[in-house]
Amino acid sequence: LNKGLSSSVVKTIKNVLKAIYTTYENQYGFNHIDFSLLKIEEEKKETACLTDKQFKQLHQYCLNKNNDICLSILLAMDTGMMIGEIVALKWSDVDFERKMISIERTRIRSKKGEKPKDGLTKTMSSNRKIDLLPIAEQALLEQMKLTVDATYIFLNQSNEAFYGHDIIGKRFREIIKQSGVKERPLYNLRHTFASQMISRGADIVWVSNMLGHKNVSITLSTYTKFIKEDDEVRIRNIEKMGTIMGTFSD
């Protein structure tokens, strides 16, 4: 790794050396070497978030297209939800009056011809209620024009629930290219949502709940670098904390 090689390349080299040495070990009685003791540290990959310009560009493109795939991508951009959770959403999960989405299931990949299968969310904390922001509500209202009479919110071209979320990922690669935005994995929409919210001062606990993280420390460890606080806000907070602390000494 110090020579500039990626961890995947180093792992390949390790496996080749292990295979060669094992052969000679068996044939010539070489001393055994336990290659499992050789740990290769994974390099930390930078989260590739959309810039504000890219976000607006992709968002407008999807809104203009106004189909199930694009509107499901919009919901991912505007809520931080995982795609498996989105394609498993039912209209009964959305409370427009209380501005809330209940996330209770995720889509399990099924074979073509089989009925779509829903399973439990990734973790207990993934089973959650999140706020329906105005921008996300707009996407759902557009989708309502397409599938209001169906059980599931997002449907495939056959007007059936998606068999899995793979097709969304495949189409996303085409959509992001057509929108003129630099290609990136679909999962980065979730990172973009979190980073944009945090960098604009959203409460970290609120963001953590929106993402369904087990605890706030997971959110902090991933997104701390996006937390910004200008001097004006910092001084206001100092004064606020000072007032609170002052009540203890009265």
Side-chain angles (χ1 to χ4, degrees):
L1 290 175
N2 291 334
K3 297 295 184 181
L5 299 176
S6 67
S7 59
S8 60
V9 171
V10 175
K11 282 182 180 179
T12 301
I13 295 172
K14 171 190 169 182
N15 291 335
V16 171
L17 290 175
K18 179 182 178 182
I20 294 172
Y21 190 87
T22 300
T23 300
Y24 279 89
E25 183 182 33
N26 295 334
Q27 290 184 2
Y28 302 106
F30 284 10
N31 292 329
H32 175 69
I33 294 179
D34 188 356
F35 280 86
S36 66
L37 297 175
L38 179 59
K39 304 296 182 183
I40 300 172
E41 184 179 351
E42 295 280 352
E43 62 266 65
K44 293 182 180 179
K45 295 183 179 180
E46 192 72 18
T47 302
C49 297
L50 293 166
T51 64
D52 287 353
K53 181 180 178 181
Q54 290 172 331
F55 183 91
K56 291 175 183 176
Q57 190 172 334
L58 179 59
H59 202 279
Q60 190 59 51
Y61 179 87
C62 289
L63 197 57
N64 289 343
K65 287 296 179 181
N66 200 33
N67 57 48
D68 289 73
I69 297 284
C70 284
L71 290 170
S72 68
I73 290 171
L74 280 182
L75 197 61
M77 297 175 74
D78 300 335
T79 64
M81 289 175 63
M82 290 185 276
I83 290 297
E85 297 170 340
I86 290 174
V87 296
L89 273 181
K90 299 177 180 180
W91 284 115
S92 58
D93 297 323
V94 183
D95 188 334
F96 287 100
E97 186 176 341
R98 297 179 63 203
K99 309 296 182 186
M100 188 176 293
I101 299 175
S102 297
I103 302 170
E104 302 174 348
R105 70 194 76 81
T106 189
R107 181 58 42 82
I108 299 173
R109 186 186 294 110
S110 57
K111 296 179 181 178
K112 196 169 183 179
E114 294 180 347
K115 288 185 177 181
K117 300 175 184 176
D118 290 334
L120 299 175
T121 51
K122 190 176 180 181
T123 63
M124 287 295 292
S125 56
S126 298
N127 203 48
R128 63 201 187 278
K129 294 183 184 296
I130 64 171
D131 292 332
L132 177 60
L133 302 179
I135 195 170
E137 183 176 11
Q138 180 187 8
L140 285 175
L141 290 174
E142 288 298 323
Q143 182 62 30
M144 187 176 281
K145 299 173 184 177
L146 304 175
T147 60
V148 67
D149 295 324
T151 299
Y152 288 100
I153 295 177
F154 298 102
L155 305 177
N156 60 23
Q157 290 181 332
S158 300
N159 285 323
E160 297 176 347
F162 287 98
Y163 296 106
H165 56 76
D166 293 351
I167 184 63
I168 309 291
K170 182 179 179 182
R171 287 286 290 117
F172 177 71
R173 289 193 292 273
E174 300 169 5
I175 288 167
I176 198 168
K177 184 177 180 180
Q178 292 165 0
S179 72
V181 174
K182 184 179 179 181
E183 186 176 347
R184 66 201 64 232
L186 178 60
Y187 193 79
N188 285 142
L189 298 183
R190 181 171 165 86
H191 291 311
T192 297
F193 171 82
S195 62
Q196 285 199 341
M197 290 293 105
I198 292 171
S199 65
R200 284 165 170 76
D203 182 77
I204 194 72
V205 176
W206 179 84
V207 174
S208 186
N209 178 69
M210 290 289 288
L211 298 177
H213 284 167
K214 185 177 181 180
N215 52 60
V216 177
S217 62
I218 296 174
T219 316
L220 281 170
S221 65
T222 308
Y223 301 107
T224 297
K225 63 184 177 181
F226 296 106
I227 298 176
K228 297 177 182 178
E229 186 177 59
D230 58 34
D231 284 342
E232 185 179 346
V233 173
R234 184 174 60 82
I235 290 170
R236 281 205 306 268
N237 286 335
I238 290 173
E239 292 173 349
K240 181 180 178 181
M241 292 304 107
T243 301
I244 293 172
M245 292 302 293
T247 62
F248 296 152
S249 58
D250 290 342

